[in-house]
Amino acid sequence: MNGQSLPRDIQGNPVRVGLPIAMLAELTHRCPLACPYCSNPVELARVAEELTAGEWTAIFRQAAELGVLQVHLSGGEPASRRDLSEIAQGARDAGLYVNLITSGIGLTEARLRELDGLVDHVQLSLQGIDAEMADWISGYGGSFSRKMQVAHWIGEIGFPLTLNAVVHRQNLDRLPEMIALAERLGCRRIEVATVQFHGWANLNRRPLMPTPEQAQRAREVVNEARDRLRGRMVIDYVPADHHATFPKSCMGGWGSTGLNVTPDGIVLPCHAAQTISGLEFENVRDNSLDRIWRDGSAFNAFRGTAWLPEPCASCERREIDFGGCRCQAMAMANDPAATDPVCSRSPLNARLRAEAEAEASSDDIALVYRRMSKEKRT
Ligand code: SF4
Ligand code: FES
């Protein structure tokens, strides 16, 4: 892609490849919900291609040997897998810290009790603070009441709980109530993540793009709540980067600390990497995780700093944010090696801001829901 086979730094010296700490295991792309900002690819994986529980168990062992410490069991909705307990057992046997990321839909009290001892932590998604908002955003009637029931069982069983609140223009004004709900549920943490605009969310920019005022207010709400809740509940915050000065360091740097495995075994440097044309991804059914991590051309494409364009190459922040998010650069600049256009130093930033402000003032609130086509469901 960039003519570079091994990662090098800006002076041309070889860069040592570190070890991954975390692995996102997308167990399935099936999901009863239809959130319009889903992080799954627009092209979902077929059910018939999904890795078996036995294959996942072998992958977890390989991951642990490679250095991975924690696995996030995710989807789609991981509870759509009937063999979720068997898969969690595989992760537990590999000695990994097991985090379950779920919408709660499909989990019963009995299934949660089966997972007790196999799962260390649960992250429950939150689409809104009441049934009207949550059911509209998730495209699933009854999701909110079901989710609250699941949160109650999680508390009773004693799983540590994080609430994952994805925020956007339609629900950002109710952020204080989301934080209050997390407090009431006894959460240890709430993750407030502003929608990232690639994949499905990119199809929903007009209804979901926050206004600059909302982004500013959200920062204040988070800071006030962090002060008030210090020592009781952690608030992780992913701000609205379209209104920020600098981009975030996506994935902590490409191919540096984390990897994703899709339901059909493709190993990715980040969940949206398949939106980048020109990269070749390998399958853990064909190659070991270790080899893919160390030598895979997709993983090496944006490691190190030698590939960075200007203004990143001569920027004092190049080892802080590594030029931002590659998938965002692909989505907005049509060039995965470009400076992330959300950076105020990107030549595309003025255009991006103008577009974001126009989208944020749109009256269009029609959502394009994430749906799995009929032929993918088999
Ligand atoms: Fe980060 Fe590049 Fe912007 Fe500097 S110019 S802040 S390295 S994205
Ligand atoms: Fe792929 Fe940011 S989501 S690099």
Side-chain angles (χ1 to χ4, degrees), residues 246-247 311-312 315-318 321-324 339-340 343-346:
F246 298 121
C312 302
C315 177
E316 78 285 359
R317 289 181 57 85
R318 68 173 181 245
D321 60 39
F322 308 99
T339 298
D340 187 335
C343 177
S344 56
R345 296 174 184 171
S346 158

Side-chain angles (χ1 to χ4, degrees), residues 57 59-65 68 88-96:
T57 298
I59 294 166
F60 295 144
R61 265 200 308 270
Q62 288 187 45
E65 279 163 20
V68 169
Q89 180 76 58
R92 164 60 75 240
D93 292 346
L96 298 171

Side-chain angles (χ1 to χ4, degrees), residues 24 26 39-41 196 198 251 260 268-274 327:
L24 185 79
E26 291 179 357
S39 63
N40 289 159
Q196 301 296 294
H198 26 75
M251 296 296 292
N260 286 19
L268 304 174
C270 74
H271 63 270
Q274 284 166 303
C327 301

Side-chain angles (χ1 to χ4, degrees), residues 22-171:
M23 179 172 105
L24 185 79
E26 291 179 357
L27 304 185
T28 178
H29 280 160
R30 284 172 281 159
C31 183
L33 303 192
C35 304
Y37 46 71
C38 180
S39 63
N40 289 159
V42 175
E43 267 309 309
L44 298 168
R46 287 187 77 118
V47 172
E49 305 281 311
E50 287 177 1
L51 296 163
T52 64
E55 286 176 305
W56 277 115
T57 298
I59 294 166
F60 295 144
R61 265 200 308 270
Q62 288 187 45
E65 279 163 20
L66 180 56
V68 169
L69 300 175
Q70 48 181 286
V71 63
H72 305 288
L73 303 181
S74 174
E77 172 48 60
S80 298
R81 293 277 308 227
R82 294 221 177 105
D83 52 2
L84 176 59
S85 301
E86 201 185 326
I87 294 171
Q89 180 76 58
R92 164 60 75 240
D93 292 346
L96 298 171
Y97 179 90
V98 184
N99 179 35
L100 177 68
I101 304 178
T102 178
S103 67
I105 310 302
L107 284 174
T108 59
E109 184 176 5
R111 291 193 82 191
L112 277 165
R113 289 199 183 278
E114 248 177 61
L115 292 169
D116 191 13
L118 303 179
V119 163
D120 296 288
H121 180 267
V122 179
Q123 282 180 241
L124 187 66
S125 64
L126 184 72
Q127 285 79 13
I129 201 64
D130 55 27
E132 190 186 356
M133 174 65 74
D135 295 357
W136 172 51
I137 295 293
S138 66
Y140 187 90
S143 70
F144 185 72
S145 58
R146 185 77 194 153
K147 197 179 289 280
M148 290 303 103
Q149 174 66 72
V150 170
H152 173 74
W153 291 326
I154 289 170
E156 270 195 350
I157 296 169
F159 290 109
L161 175 63
T162 290
L163 215 52
N164 279 4
V166 178
V167 291
H168 43 76
R169 188 166 85 254
Q170 304 303 327
N171 66 5

